[in-house]
């Protein structure tokens, strides 16, 4: 049985999807962009600012699902500019330590709301 996760500490869905779904002991987190959950607006003009906001949003969804960054198994990072990869990687290391999750980083032609980065994850409870 699947269970939808919803928290006010992360942005509301921009379309028809859940912030995350729990199925068994797995959590499938939808992509997060740099939206402030209180204002609904994109936060930050730099990749550094946006990346920190994305990981705070992802952390809030994980927490609402009974998990945290240490329990993340797989991460996919979508970048509007692959030139931002090195900066994102530095910030990523602040959130993920120990046994690191599997990861993919992909350059894309565009992201919702002209965001610079979007991150989705699979974790366990």
């Amino acid at each position: 049985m699947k269970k939808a996760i919803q928290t006010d500490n992360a942005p509301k869905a921009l379309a028809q999807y859940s912030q995350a779904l729990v199925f068994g002991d797995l959590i499938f987190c939808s992509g997060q962009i740099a939206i402030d959950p209180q204002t609904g607006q994109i936060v930050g003009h730099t990749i550094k600012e946006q990346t920190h906001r994305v990981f705070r949003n992802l952390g809030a969804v994980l927490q609402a699902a009974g998990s945290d960054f240490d329990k993340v198994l797989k991460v996919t990072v979508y970048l509007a500019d692959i030139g931002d990869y090195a900066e994102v990687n530095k910030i990523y290391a602040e959130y993920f330590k120990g046994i690191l999750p599997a990861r993919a980083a992909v350059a894309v032609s565009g992201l919702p709301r002209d965001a610079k980065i979007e991150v989705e994850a699979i974790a366990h409870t």
Side-chain angles (χ1 to χ4, degrees), residues 26-30 55 58 62 68-78 92 96 99-106 119-124:
L26 293 176
I27 305 160
F28 298 87
C29 299
S30 292
F55 283 117
L58 181 59
L62 288 167
D68 57 41
F69 287 107
D70 289 337
K71 296 177 182 171
V72 173
L73 304 171
K74 173 74 167 75
V75 175
T76 305
V77 178
Y78 301 94
Y92 183 95
F96 295 99
I99 298 174
L100 299 173
R103 181 180 79 178
V106 182
V119 176
E120 65 178 10
I122 299 170
H124 68 88

Side-chain angles (χ1 to χ4, degrees), residues 54-68:
V54 164
F55 283 117
R56 284 194 295 273
N57 291 345
L58 181 59
V61 172
L62 288 167
Q63 183 177 23
S67 192
D68 57 41

Side-chain angles (χ1 to χ4, degrees), residues 15-100:
Q16 290 69 42
Y17 58 88
S18 298
Q19 289 173 327
L21 284 178
V22 176
F23 187 81
D25 65 347
L26 293 176
I27 305 160
F28 298 87
C29 299
S30 292
Q32 291 292 321
I33 59 175
I35 294 177
D36 179 300
Q38 276 65 55
T39 67
Q41 300 301 311
I42 290 281
V43 175
H45 299 288
T46 67
I47 190 64
K48 181 176 182 177
E49 294 168 314
Q50 287 198 16
T51 302
H52 279 294
R53 178 76 258 171
V54 164
F55 283 117
R56 284 194 295 273
N57 291 345
L58 181 59
V61 172
L62 288 167
Q63 183 177 23
S67 192
D68 57 41
F69 287 107
D70 289 337
K71 296 177 182 171
V72 173
L73 304 171
K74 173 74 167 75
V75 175
T76 305
V77 178
Y78 301 94
L79 296 168
D81 181 352
I82 199 66
D84 290 331
Y85 179 83
E87 183 66 28
V88 168
N89 208 40
K90 285 184 219 171
I91 297 164
Y92 183 95
E94 295 176 29
Y95 294 88
F96 295 99
K97 303 184 184 309
I99 298 174
L100 299 173

